[in-house]
Amino acid sequence: MKAIVSIENLASSFVLTFWTPIFVAIFVAIVIYALRPRNKALFDDAARMPLRED
């Protein structure tokens, strides 16, 4: 059987090859940013924001 080369196969290969690792790296960067101790005060303040009565 011959391998069928189509637009769908090329697009799927492109997505798996390039976009998946890029999105994984972006996700890991966001998680690292959110869990850094330096940002704790900023996130604690943002969490209390809906409870404030200004």
Side-chain angles (χ1 to χ4, degrees):
M1 296 183 105
K2 287 185 175 180
I4 299 174
V5 177
S6 66
I7 297 298
E8 291 89 14
N9 289 343
L10 291 175
S12 176
S13 176
F14 176 77
V15 168
L16 289 174
T17 304
F18 294 105
W19 290 110
T20 302
I22 289 172
F23 283 123
V24 168
I26 290 170
F27 176 77
V28 169
I30 290 170
V31 168
I32 289 171
Y33 172 77
L35 296 178
R36 289 179 78 177
R38 185 173 77 179
N39 296 325
K40 183 173 176 21
L42 178 69
F43 289 128
D44 285 343
D45 187 44
R48 283 190 229 98
M49 195 180 307
L51 304 175
R52 282 193 235 156
E53 293 183 22
D54 291 335

